[in-house]
Amino acid sequence: MTFPTSQPRSSPSSRSKGEQIALNVDGACADETSTFSSKLMDKQTFCSSQTTSNTSRYAAALYRQGELHLTPLHGILQLRPSFSYLDKADAKHREREAANEAGDSSQDEAEEDVKQITVRFSRPESEQARQRRVQSYEFLQKKHAEEPWVHLHYYGLRDSRSEHERQYLLCQGSSGVENTELVKSPSEYLMMLMPPSQEEEKDKPVAPSNVLSMAQLRTLPLADQIKILMKNVKVMPFANLMSLLGPSMDSVAVLRGIQKVAMLVQGNWVVKSDILYPKDSSSPHSGVPAEVLCRGRDFVMWKFTKSRWVVRKEVAAVTKLCAEDVKDFLEHMALVRINKGWEFILPYDGEFIKKHPDVVQRQHLLWMGIQAKLEKVYNLVKETTPKKPDGQSGPAGLLSGDQRIQAAKTKAQQNHAVLERELQRQKEQLHTSMVLPGVQIKEEPLSEEGEDEDEQGAEEEEPMDTSPSDGLSNRLTNGLPAGRAAGGDSFSGHPPPGCASAPAARELRAFVEATFQSQFVLTLSELKRLFNQHVASLPRGHVLFSGISDHMLQDTVLAAGCKQILVPFPRQTAASPNEQKVFALWESGDMSDQHRQVLFEIFSKNYRVRRNMIQSRLTQECGEDLSKQEVDKVLKDCCVSYGGMWYLKGTVQS
């Protein structure tokens, strides 16, 4: 839009400046293409732009004689000065300079040589290229420049025509007639006048994916709330967790949920390692897989169950992990103290320990299972350091190996008489309660250090793991005190085999069938660990607490349709007898039963096998139409890969 400009009569410099601008833009010769045909800058150009795409919320208001007249707007344009004539002046200036340079150089040069011209034909333009060209900035500018001008007559603010048009902004109805449409409240009227914009609601900033407000958190299920809180906080007392979840939350349900994602350490809850390090993740520092990280962090948590202080170098020496990974473990649950080590971040919560003894007992069983696994993996020396009192804090003294052995021997001698009397009393009760004709119960003396060589030749159908390396086997049987496991063969800490009730046998059968339907292959050691975890999650007084022996567990496994795979372990293997007992589900009722049976026959003759051997044997036994997906499924169900070789689950020795 172009408007005429008024030049002040009293300022000759303004007219001369306008003439100079017109000369720079159009040059000395004026023609039809000239911007300023009068050789004077007597007009100014304004370009319009659309300020907003949604004008439904805007209205033009006119206040007159105590009345507010509103007129809805269908479009809003903003006019800005356009200085395109300056670009034209710059282009003219560059052309004049180029012409002057060309004229000077042509006087001293000979006639230009004839140059060869190459003619090229442009290829036909594709539809995609045409769309890109149409949407380009140059094309839009060219189209805008080619738009024809529309000549309009401008009326000033005080002109009678402007005043006539302004009358259309006033309501034409009679002022005496009462408007009955405005009967709503002021807030409702404003809402009708300015409804919320849907576009603005969509443009609201979204919080990062790892940030969740408490209001959003409380819309999730309870299990997800507990998992998210523990994953972010890492360590939390139970009272703090209840305050975050709200006073209306059931503490029993919270206790049930917290045990799925956290472990009890010194009366406080620490998030489980597999929550922080999922199965397919790895260390950001060293690239170590999640399984190794979880094992190392479990070792740190286990150390804090024994003492309030942990030394980082000791953790790094045992776990063989890099310093950054160990530091991450400790920073999750401890604070560093100069010249002392790392102290657990929260004080001992004795109130929770006294209030929830059943939860403490379950957690104790779980920690015993984790301790046995860590001792096997890291070759730890089992220790019997007494637990510190509730209120005691401070750095624990570091004992040497000889001191720990001497302390264990002293403690064993102190408890020997008590344990022997308890064992004799239980055996006498066993004689009186299980007097059957033709059955004799063999009595064997208690070995104080588990090193009696005479018992190696004793005939047992399925012996317990009482190897000399198990330094606590006389006092701990699968994570329970010896006073409750004095029956020898029962790892649930109750009467010996044969005393389990029929409901307990049914529950055990259901557990075994469900476990092998999901695992397919298990060693006796791993099965016992899973069973201990299952028992720890059960309520107090459950029938499975009545006493389940190794014999009964193995008989139930065989009765559930499983078979023992006699894997030929190497002679120098470090696997315990329970780890060398491998059981596999022979028939599960799916299409892969035949494939798994062929696989079990292969591993009954080989400790480790290459994939191509398994592939060829399966193809030979099951036909050539066996797909790669079927082979991968069988291997995933029953085997693990290590070093380019395949092993049955639980049999690989790192």
Side-chain angles (χ1 to χ4, degrees), residues 429-561:
Q429 293 178 357
L430 182 63
H431 275 291
T432 58
S433 61
M434 297 183 60
V435 178
L436 300 176
V439 178
Q440 296 181 352
I441 299 178
K442 182 179 179 180
E443 298 183 6
E444 296 177 354
L446 177 67
S447 175
E448 179 181 343
E449 296 298 327
E451 299 178 352
D452 291 346
E453 299 294 332
D454 298 336
E455 295 180 1
Q456 295 182 0
E459 295 183 359
E460 295 181 358
E461 182 182 350
E462 296 291 342
M464 286 289 290
D465 182 12
T466 56
S467 58
S469 62
D470 195 356
L472 290 180
S473 60
N474 290 328
R475 275 156 292 174
L476 295 177
T477 308
N478 295 313
L480 292 177
R484 296 173 58 191
D489 193 38
S490 174
F491 59 80
S492 294
H494 289 285
C499 297
S501 62
R506 288 194 297 270
E507 289 287 337
L508 179 62
R509 176 69 175 266
F511 164 76
V512 169
E513 290 178 349
T515 302
F516 275 94
Q517 282 290 341
S518 59
Q519 301 286 345
F520 293 104
V521 178
L522 286 171
T523 62
L524 180 59
S525 176
E526 179 67 11
L527 182 60
K528 290 164 62 176
R529 186 186 69 83
L530 294 175
F531 181 73
N532 281 338
Q533 290 184 353
H534 176 66
V535 173
S537 65
L538 297 175
R540 299 184 66 181
H542 195 272
V543 292
L544 286 182
F545 282 99
S546 60
I548 305 299
S549 67
D550 277 8
H551 295 286
M552 187 174 182
L553 182 61
Q554 295 179 66
D555 292 343
T556 305
V557 170
L558 296 176

Side-chain angles (χ1 to χ4, degrees), residues 144-170:
H144 182 268
E146 293 175 352
E147 183 178 354
W149 286 93
V150 178
H151 296 278
L152 301 175
H153 187 74
Y154 174 75
Y155 296 94
L157 179 64
R158 303 299 179 183
D159 193 272
S160 60
R161 182 61 183 269
S162 298
E163 182 66 26
H164 176 73
E165 291 292 334
R166 198 157 41 243
Q167 293 297 322
Y168 288 109
L169 298 177
L170 300 176

Side-chain angles (χ1 to χ4, degrees), residues 44-45 87 94 99 120 126 129 141 160 165 184 196 245 308 336 362 390 406 446 452 515 527 538 571 573 578 587-588:
Q44 189 174 4
T45 304
D87 298 333
R94 285 193 296 268
R120 295 181 180 178
S126 63
Q141 288 293 104
S160 60
E165 291 292 334
K184 297 184 180 296
L245 293 176
R308 285 197 58 82
V336 63
R362 291 195 195 109
D390 296 352
Q406 186 62 34
L446 177 67
D452 291 346
T515 302
L527 182 60
L538 297 175
R571 294 183 178 180
T573 182
N578 284 345
E587 293 182 356
S588 63

Side-chain angles (χ1 to χ4, degrees), residues 280-334:
D280 297 329
S281 62
S282 60
S283 168
H285 307 293
S286 59
V288 173
E291 182 181 0
V292 180
L293 293 176
C294 292
R295 193 162 55 219
R297 188 174 180 275
D298 287 345
F299 175 75
V300 175
M301 294 169 62
W302 172 72
K303 292 290 289 183
F304 276 120
T305 63
K306 303 296 182 183
S307 171
R308 285 197 58 82
W309 296 83
V310 168
V311 180
R312 182 175 62 85
K313 291 184 178 179
E314 179 185 352
V315 175
V318 173
T319 60
K320 302 296 189 297
L321 294 172
C322 68
E324 290 80 4
D325 290 333
V326 176
K327 186 177 180 181
D328 285 348
F329 300 158
L330 293 170
E331 287 178 344
H332 290 168
M333 62 192 82

Side-chain angles (χ1 to χ4, degrees), residues 578-630:
N578 284 345
E579 291 175 339
Q580 296 185 32
K581 293 181 180 180
V582 183
F583 296 92
L585 182 61
W586 198 252
E587 293 182 356
S588 63
D590 59 10
M591 301 297 294
S592 301
D593 284 344
Q594 184 182 3
H595 306 158
R596 284 192 290 267
Q597 292 171 10
V598 174
L599 190 68
F600 297 151
E601 292 178 0
I602 295 174
F603 280 102
S604 65
K605 301 177 182 178
N606 303 274
Y607 173 60
R608 55 183 182 179
V609 188
R610 293 191 178 274
R611 181 189 172 95
N612 55 2
M613 178 180 176
I614 298 175
Q615 180 92 29
S616 60
R617 182 67 181 275
L618 287 173
T619 303
Q620 179 182 355
E621 296 290 339
C622 304
E624 297 182 356
D625 57 346
L626 193 64
S627 64
K628 180 179 180 298
Q629 290 77 10
E630 292 175 325

